[in-house]
Amino acid sequence: MSGGLLVAGTTSDAGKSVLTAGICRWLHRRGVKVAPFKAQNMSNNSAVVVGPDGRGGEIGRAQAMQAAACGLAPDLRFNPVLLKPGSDLSSQVVLLGEAVDTITADSFRTLRPRLAETAYAALAELRAAYDVVVCEGAGSPAEINLRAGDYVNMGLARHAGLPTIVVGDIDRGGVFASMFGTLALLDPADQALVAGFVINKFRGDLGLLQPGLDMLGQITGRPTYGVLPWSLDLWLDAEDSLAYGRVLGRPAAPRGTDWLDVAVVRLPRISNATDVEALATEPGVRVRLTVEPAELAAADLVVLPGSKSTVADLAWLRESGLADAVLAHAAAGKPLLGICGGFQMLGRAIHDPVESRRGSVPGLGLLPVEITFDPRKTVRQSAGTAAGDVPVRGYEIRHGYVSSAAEDLTPLLTRADGTGEGAVVGAVHGTHWHGAFESDEFRRRFLTEAARLAGRTGFRVAPDTEFAAARERSLDLLGDLVEEHLDTDALWRLVESGPPAGLPFVPPGAPSPTG
């Protein structure tokens, strides 16, 4: 068979990514050869994939997570177009893993036909190779101002004849209005592909919700395929919705007598914030994303994460007062970690004629390195060791490189070729490697040292925490939720047979898209 399904949403962050992953895991467990697909993703949270030519390329991290749900290694075709916002007005375009351009809204219109052609070709290849391809939409299909050039939502569904389900987040409120409105704003040909709905993040008595589901079915002629409950355990591999002040996950009680409090600065253009999720899997470690200087002052460990716009975010750090809080934290001898863009900020100077084009700007001066940006982007998987014998794996996505460093600089890591990576000066640590803390032994050693530097003598790492196993448990939970709470027989009929015939039109509808 060559089945397919499009998971669309009433809004961004409605649950498309997790529902897609859950359906993928459900199908995978049934023995179906299934793959994920997102024609275009807009996210600074990306994963490195080794392409067929041996070079590293980028796809959205959600598609890498969905690939794992399918039991697959990531493939560049799973997310052929990735837009990485560098500001409110421009984005870097990554096409089949390779950064090819930086665009504005106006220039995007010119490039869009090429992007759509690439996306359609990738989907065709996947449908020829797999039994089922589960596609994820982007934003909402009812963004009627963008419909004429759409190749991600109903444009994709129309092109490939995909049955579509619309997921709505009930936690936001107004879910019935948003689902009805999403359908009613589509033109007749698009509506004919929308088979039904899924409610996400429900808490409470399902009996109180049922009358609304029944009425929605009556006025739209479409069923609700199920209601997914709210689950606090679904927080790994988040896209770009990490909230201010939120503690990641549900931290388990400490193995010792002390907690370790970690404050992660939520930069305006934060990238790969999922780096800190590995820290949050450890018992006794509380990880919070914040923009409050006071929370940095109270933290044991402060993390400066990656950034798509290092120089601009460094300026914001100074303007917000957070830079002073970071400097005070370091001056107190408490541990500080910079990852990729955060590492670059900790240096003496940044020379950037590429990303911000602001030339040379002073860094925070906490590490004896200078960073220079190169037009060629480094995208690769990396492996090495820490402390001589601790294996570490990670990945790199960056334009900046260390162009100058003190001769006696102590590296944080050692690459497989024996060269140093990153830096350590006292309690200040920095590395360009994303994903390094998913290496269990390295994470434990780092947190043990961070606790010592912070004076948390009663903190103990757990010897049995495995990040990869935690990720698998999360994917299995998604599959369980789909099996237990959705009408999987009806979903399978959609996948196997396509959109049901005779779905009614819901007025007023939008004009047919052109262009």
Side-chain angles (χ1 to χ4, degrees):
M1 65 177 296
S2 180
L5 180 71
L6 175 66
V7 178
T10 56
T11 62
S12 294
D13 201 33
K16 298 184 294 291
S17 295
V18 294
L19 179 55
T20 299
I23 293 173
C24 284
R25 178 52 64 108
W26 160 62
L27 290 170
H28 174 61
R29 294 197 300 209
R30 287 186 54 163
V32 176
K33 189 179 179 184
V34 57
F37 180 80
K38 185 161 185 170
Q40 174 189 294
N41 199 348
M42 177 173 279
S43 175
N44 283 329
N45 212 5
S46 59
V48 171
V49 178
V50 178
D53 59 359
R55 292 187 299 176
E58 294 179 76
I59 65 172
R61 192 171 182 91
Q63 281 62 65
M65 178 265 288
Q66 292 159 358
C70 299
L72 300 173
D75 186 313
L76 295 175
R77 296 173 298 178
F78 294 166
N79 178 207
V81 181
L82 175 62
L83 304 182
K84 304 190 74 173
S87 71
D88 292 340
L89 299 175
S90 66
S91 294
Q92 184 180 66
V93 179
V94 178
L95 189 62
L96 286 174
E98 182 179 357
V100 296
D101 204 352
T102 297
I103 57 166
T104 62
D106 287 338
S107 57
F108 178 71
R109 295 186 182 93
T110 302
L111 188 61
R112 188 166 51 200
R114 176 188 173 191
L115 304 182
E117 181 181 355
T118 302
Y120 292 155
L123 177 58
E125 289 182 13
L126 293 175
R127 296 191 78 180
Y130 292 90
D131 297 332
V132 176
V133 180
V134 183
C135 305
E136 178 189 342
S140 165
E143 291 164 352
I144 53 179
N145 55 314
L146 303 175
R147 177 61 184 90
D150 169 50
Y151 61 91
V152 188
N153 291 303
M154 300 316 298
L156 180 74
R158 185 94 69 92
H159 174 85
L162 297 172
T164 301
I165 58 175
V166 176
V167 57
D169 179 357
I170 198 169
D171 203 50
R172 294 171 179 264
V175 71
F176 292 117
S178 61
M179 289 195 293
F180 175 83
T182 296
L183 179 66
L185 280 175
L186 303 179
D187 82 338
D190 286 350
Q191 285 195 25
L193 299 174
V194 178
F197 310 99
V198 171
I199 300 268
N200 189 33
K201 297 184 184 177
F202 178 70
R203 292 182 271 195
D205 182 352
L206 189 57
L208 295 176
L209 186 67
Q210 191 60 50
L213 302 178
D214 294 340
M215 285 186 278
L216 182 67
Q218 291 166 9
I219 62 177
T220 66
R222 291 159 174 85
T224 296
Y225 289 105
V227 178
L228 294 173
W230 172 272
S231 175
L232 286 173
D233 293 321
L234 295 176
W235 57 275
L236 289 176
D237 293 304
E239 275 274 32
D240 293 319
S241 60
L242 298 172
Y244 297 136
R246 195 184 79 183
V247 174
L248 295 186
R250 289 194 291 175
R255 296 295 176 91
T257 57
D258 280 348
W259 286 83
L260 191 69
D261 286 306
V262 181
V264 182
V265 178
R266 199 191 197 296
L267 301 166
R269 299 161 188 87
I270 192 170
S271 68
N272 289 72
T274 45
D275 282 327
V276 299
E277 292 181 352
L279 303 180
T281 60
E282 287 288 344
V285 179
R286 259 192 309 241
V287 179
R288 182 187 299 274
L289 280 94
T290 183
V291 293
E292 297 296 334
E295 293 197 8
L296 269 59
D300 299 314
L301 167 65
V302 169
V303 180
L304 289 180
S307 169
K308 183 62 184 70
S309 297
T310 302
V311 170
D313 278 356
L314 177 57
W316 171 85
L317 204 69
R318 289 186 164 115
E319 293 163 2
S320 65
L322 285 161
D324 290 335
V326 169
L327 293 171
H329 182 89
K334 298 171 74 174
L336 174 64
L337 170 66
I339 302 174
C340 200
F343 168 43
Q344 295 166 359
M345 295 179 194
L346 296 177
R348 291 172 175 165
I350 300 172
H351 311 289
D352 180 14
V354 177
E355 205 170 64
S356 68
R357 301 181 182 178
R358 296 186 188 179
S360 297
V361 299
L364 297 177
L366 295 174
L367 291 173
V369 299
E370 294 190 13
I371 302 295
T372 298
F373 277 59
D374 192 297
R376 295 167 297 178
K377 193 174 189 179
T378 297
V379 181
R380 63 190 178 198
Q381 295 179 344
S382 304
T385 58
D389 62 346
V390 179
V392 184
R393 301 192 68 86
Y395 58 97
E396 300 171 67
I397 305 172
R398 55 187 173 85
H399 284 283
Y401 66 95
V402 176
S403 55
S404 175
E407 291 184 5
D408 59 348
L409 181 69
T410 300
L412 178 63
L413 305 168
T414 302
R415 298 185 184 92
D417 63 6
T419 59
E421 192 330 279
V424 179
V425 174
V428 182
H429 306 71
T431 178
H432 272 126
W433 288 15
H434 296 288
F437 294 99
E438 296 178 18
S439 299
D440 297 326
E441 188 177 354
F442 173 60
R443 181 181 65 252
R444 295 182 193 120
R445 291 215 189 176
F446 177 81
L447 289 173
T448 298
E449 174 64 5
R452 184 190 69 80
L453 292 166
R456 296 295 184 183
T457 57
F459 175 80
R460 298 289 182 272
V461 293
D464 54 352
T465 303
E466 296 182 3
F467 182 78
R471 176 174 282 152
E472 276 299 300
R473 286 194 298 271
S474 180
L475 293 173
D476 278 334
L477 174 58
L478 284 171
D480 292 343
L481 291 174
V482 166
E483 289 189 28
E484 294 170 14
H485 298 280
L486 299 191
D487 185 347
T488 53
D489 289 339
L491 287 180
W492 179 251
R493 287 194 294 272
L494 286 181
V495 168
E496 193 173 37
S497 304
L503 290 170
F505 172 70
V506 176
S512 296
T514 58

